[in-house]
Amino acid sequence: MKRYQMSESLPVGLLLALAGGILDSYTYLNRGQVFATAETGNLVLLGIHLAQGELGRVLSCLFPILAFALGVLTTEGLRRRLSSGRVHWRQPILAAECLVILVVSFLPQGDLDALANVLIAFTSAIQIESFRKFAGCGCATTMCTGNLRSGTELLFHAVQDHDPTARRRGLQYYAIILLFILGAFLGVWCTEQWRGRAVLVCCGLLAVVFSAMFLKSGEEALEA
């Protein structure tokens, strides 16, 4: 069986999906009923507001999109600089994501919701760009449309072609989706307990991932 580095193991993917679900639930419940971790909705709203001549609302959609793009550029730049270091290049990036989430948790709700959503869009890009494959499957951990398509396609081949590899990989995609849903569920409970500070739970999950990457799993990497 092919072996993978810890940062590409399924447990890490499940933890990140859990954090992704919490982030989306958090922004919807606490920051103006928006989903800040995926930009498809913002792109659609951008086109709608442009067509309706609502330039002020155009900017409210444009800023998270630009923040997401900046997050991708930042991650790629850091990856090149950190790839030769002693620690895995993803660990400092995780620390940066935690720092941004920490800042969000202290932003007052209401007037600064737009800024909070921009920062979360930035962190979402960091997470998606840094962690793109788990146990050999290309997955996203802050959105699920692609995961749903890929998982369902694989399960079709598992049934039609009696392919055990397709079945295993399809179930992995659905496990990621279920943990994302669980994260959204937990986000509601955390919001009821801590309101704007609820997002700090994501920092705890990312800290677990950060620590796990010091370990050598049974699926230790053959390549970085």
Side-chain angles (χ1 to χ4, degrees):
M1 185 173 74
K2 183 174 174 61
R3 295 155 59 139
Y4 306 98
Q5 61 188 23
M6 177 61 81
S7 62
E8 295 182 355
S9 67
L10 184 59
V12 164
L14 295 175
L15 286 172
L16 291 175
L18 188 65
I22 292 173
L23 277 177
D24 246 353
S25 179
Y26 170 82
T27 58
Y28 184 83
L29 295 171
N30 296 285
R31 300 296 183 177
Q33 295 189 324
V34 299
F35 298 114
T37 63
E39 299 311 309
T40 302
N42 283 328
L43 289 166
V44 172
L45 290 173
L46 178 66
I48 291 173
H49 297 322
L50 278 172
Q52 295 176 341
E54 299 171 331
L55 298 183
R57 300 186 73 180
V58 166
L59 292 177
S60 69
C61 298
L62 181 61
F63 288 146
I65 295 168
L66 294 176
F68 190 94
L70 179 60
V72 172
L73 294 174
T74 300
T75 302
E76 284 302 296
L78 289 174
R79 181 179 66 83
R80 292 196 175 191
R81 289 178 177 271
L82 300 172
S83 291
S84 60
R86 288 189 172 185
V87 299
H88 195 288
W89 65 269
R90 291 185 176 101
Q91 287 175 297
I93 290 175
L94 274 178
E97 186 178 355
C98 282
L99 179 61
V100 174
I101 290 173
L102 182 65
V103 171
V104 169
S105 72
F106 286 98
L107 293 177
Q109 292 176 262
D111 293 340
L112 294 180
D113 286 350
L115 176 59
N117 290 328
V118 164
L119 292 174
I120 288 176
F122 180 81
T123 65
S124 174
I126 289 176
Q127 186 167 314
I128 291 172
E129 188 67 11
S130 301
F131 298 89
R132 295 186 288 185
K133 185 180 291 187
F134 305 100
C137 297
C139 298
T141 56
T142 63
M143 58 186 75
C144 286
T145 303
N147 296 340
L148 182 61
R149 184 205 63 79
S150 297
T152 304
E153 178 184 319
L154 285 165
L155 290 180
F156 172 85
H157 289 297
V159 173
Q160 292 296 314
D161 304 330
H162 305 287
D163 184 345
T165 299
R167 179 176 61 82
R168 176 178 58 82
R169 291 191 171 186
L171 291 175
Q172 287 174 359
Y173 277 107
Y174 271 88
I176 293 285
I177 292 169
L178 287 175
L179 264 291
F180 187 88
I181 295 170
L182 178 59
F185 178 89
L186 289 177
V188 175
W189 184 85
C190 292
T191 292
E192 291 173 350
Q193 303 300 314
W194 304 300
R195 302 304 301 172
R197 298 286 194 274
V199 73
L200 289 173
V201 175
C202 293
C203 285
L205 293 170
L206 295 177
V208 173
V209 173
F210 180 92
S211 301
M213 288 170 62
F214 284 108
L215 304 176
K216 293 183 179 180
S217 71
E219 298 177 338
E220 184 183 2
L222 292 178
E223 59 181 5

